[in-house]
Amino acid sequence: MIKMIVVDDEVWVRERLIHTIEWDQLGIEVVDEANCGKEALDKALQVEPDIILTDIRMPNMDGLDLIQSLRDRQIRTKVIIISGYSDFEYAQKALSLGAFDYILKPVEDHDLLHVVGKCLEQIQSEKKKEELLHKADEQVNKRLPMLKEMLFANLINGRVQNEQEVLAALSDFQVEHSNLNHFCVIFHFKEWKEDGIHLDAEFKQFVIGNLIGDILQELKCKTITFIHADEVVAIVSSDQETEYLKHQLESAAFSHMLYKIFGCPVEVGYGGCCSNIIDISSSYRQAKQSLLLSGFLNQERITLQAISTKTEKNKQYDIEGLVNSVKLGDKESVVMHLDQLFVNKPMNLIEFKFIYFQIISAITRTVIDGNRSLDDVSRFSLQFFELLQRSQDVGEIRQLFEEALFKIMAYLNKTQTKKKRKVIEKIVEYMQEHYNESINLNTVAEAFFMNASYLSKIFKDDMDVSFSKYVMEYRVEKAIELMKDPTKKIYEIASNVGYDDVQYFTKMFKAIKGVTPVQYRENWAE
């Protein structure tokens, strides 16, 4: 109910305003009355009314002073002024102070209802906007950590479409980057799964962020740490020389410290320096290459900056697209991605070997995860590397890579059935909890950090129905349950199951049940 206070120094006027109109029919409750502005202000501070209906000329505190006092105290009550012809100038001043409107005496019911009606519309409009803004703030705050990780993931993967927007986002997240040098450090945890050890990703991120901060504290470095592809990535920014900072980290026996904390080996890869944080993807690739090769060649760290710089312009291949094609088991798409590597790529045999090794390593670590043993991944990748080293022809390398990917696809097809079932169960559970919200394939895929096309495929394979149809049918069943309450309107039911557009809800309901919601309710009642 909308709360209202009536203010006038004459009792009979207050009585008339309160009792001659059925305010409750308009959704208004007269919560109190006052005989002057001072009394009205005291009561307004207590009950926080939505509307104050007040005269201008009153003892102790008049209507103008009341409006000013409410404004000074930031009370957002709508004030409607009642004034005589002789007080017209006062009414105009009241409007300048923020009064909603004025009504001339003698007060006619239809004039009063007209002004109050407009006031109600504005109040309801403002409340709806506030609710939407509050809901938007909640969603933003809830998604803020994920949005930050998405921003940094896009940065290190070179997915920057609008540089100014990215820089503005970094500023919003209070990330300092101007006039500094930046480089990437990647930490890969080789967890001992046979011992049942599983490290929490947020704990890894917290520990590493604090360790780097402690080691580089005196050098006034800025460090960003986040999770990406099951690894912890750090972006270190400073006006110091990059090689000196790396030396500081190595001198502190960083890997040994992490081993003592986590109880498992931690591989560390370092990237080169860049002066613009937008170019950090280059440093990330160098760190990734260093990390991948050091793991397979059993070395402490390998510097690949020279190779990376030489082949930088040739790295236009789409690793993410290739990984998704492997996950989907789409052989034609895999072949298409492989063919793209040979288009306008003037590279020698060594460079081709390097690129293929990088991609196969990335795919085995990204795709073969979950319950699979790390030994299986390492063994497969090492076998591929040995075959790659013996290859002396670009065509032979191309054939070897295709066979390797097809083996991974066959392996996934055999081993991922149970994992997919668990994922689908979690997705169904999530959908049943959020069916009354604005959800679709893309938002659910985002919530589970999955590719939407891949989710669509495995959902259809497992449930024998498309995701969108499943959501519609579930919402219809929930709507039918709500129809058992005869007091609920159809548009309310539509909103309760996630449809703000009642016409679309009706159309969708009829497509599934063959009748409209109204017809279904009438048939059920009979």
Side-chain angles (χ1 to χ4, degrees), residues 318-330:
D318 182 7
I319 293 181
E320 184 178 356
L322 187 56
V323 169
N324 286 334
S325 296
V326 171
K327 283 183 177 181
L328 290 168
D330 188 345

Side-chain angles (χ1 to χ4, degrees), residues 63-124:
L64 296 181
D65 290 336
L66 171 60
I67 296 171
Q68 185 64 56
S69 298
L70 291 169
R71 186 175 180 180
D72 292 343
R73 290 165 175 76
Q74 297 183 336
I75 300 174
R76 299 171 58 189
T77 301
K78 304 293 182 189
V79 179
I80 299 174
I81 292 291
I82 300 174
S83 69
Y85 285 104
S86 60
D87 298 327
F88 188 66
E89 289 185 5
Y90 286 96
Q92 288 182 314
K93 187 174 181 181
L95 292 176
S96 69
L97 289 173
F100 176 78
D101 208 339
Y102 67 90
I103 303 170
L104 293 176
K105 293 180 179 179
V107 179
E108 299 292 341
D109 288 355
H110 66 273
D111 292 333
L112 179 59
L113 288 172
H114 175 69
V115 173
V116 171
K118 288 196 303 180
C119 188
L120 282 176
E121 289 179 2
Q122 186 167 325
I123 290 172
Q124 290 164 354

Side-chain angles (χ1 to χ4, degrees), residues 251-395:
S251 299
F254 205 44
S255 296
H256 181 66
M257 290 170 63
L258 293 173
Y259 179 82
K260 291 183 68 175
I261 293 171
F262 295 113
C264 68
V266 182
E267 296 174 347
V268 184
Y270 296 87
C273 170
C274 63
S275 58
N276 187 344
I277 198 168
I278 296 296
D279 301 324
I280 197 66
S281 58
S282 174
S283 179
Y284 174 75
R285 283 194 293 269
Q286 293 162 13
K288 191 71 174 174
Q289 293 156 10
S290 172
L291 183 66
L292 291 173
L293 285 182
S294 66
F296 285 101
L297 300 180
N298 196 27
Q299 296 177 356
E300 191 67 26
R301 181 165 69 92
I302 297 177
T303 303
L304 296 171
Q305 192 166 352
I307 296 178
S308 301
T309 302
K310 186 175 181 181
T311 60
E312 192 69 22
K313 293 182 180 179
N314 296 318
K315 294 180 180 177
Q316 302 299 322
Y317 46 81
D318 182 7
I319 293 181
E320 184 178 356
L322 187 56
V323 169
N324 286 334
S325 296
V326 171
K327 283 183 177 181
L328 290 168
D330 188 345
K331 289 188 176 182
E332 289 184 4
S333 180
V334 168
V335 172
M336 180 193 72
H337 280 288
L338 292 180
D339 289 339
Q340 287 177 353
L341 285 171
F342 289 85
V343 179
N344 299 322
K345 298 289 186 295
M347 292 179 283
N348 60 37
L349 190 63
I350 295 175
E351 290 169 340
F352 258 117
K353 285 185 178 182
F354 174 76
I355 288 175
Y356 279 129
F357 173 70
Q358 180 195 6
I359 295 177
I360 199 70
S361 299
I363 288 179
T364 52
R365 289 193 178 190
T366 303
V367 178
I368 305 178
D369 55 4
N371 296 324
R372 261 70 69 195
S373 169
L374 284 174
D375 289 337
D376 289 341
V377 180
S378 300
R379 194 179 302 114
F380 177 85
S381 298
L382 185 57
Q383 181 186 31
F384 172 83
F385 182 67
E386 290 172 348
L387 291 171
L388 189 63
Q389 286 294 82
R390 293 198 292 266
S391 301
Q392 298 300 317
D393 177 74
V394 171

Side-chain angles (χ1 to χ4, degrees), residues 20-21 36 46 66 116 124 158 163 165 175 181 197 248 272 312 314 364 371 382 388 410 414 427 507:
T20 58
I21 294 177
C36 68
Q46 295 175 11
L66 171 60
V116 171
Q124 290 164 354
E163 182 173 330
E165 287 183 0
V175 176
N181 295 320
I197 299 174
Q248 291 295 108
E312 192 69 22
N314 296 318
T364 52
N371 296 324
L382 185 57
L388 189 63
K414 288 194 303 182
I427 288 172
K507 183 178 179 181

Side-chain angles (χ1 to χ4, degrees), residues 405-421:
L405 293 181
F406 285 176
K407 284 182 181 178
I408 292 173
M409 291 161 68
Y411 180 68
L412 292 176
N413 189 48
K414 288 194 303 182
T415 58
Q416 282 197 333
T417 303
K418 289 184 179 179
K419 182 183 176 183
K420 288 179 182 177
R421 175 90 283 267

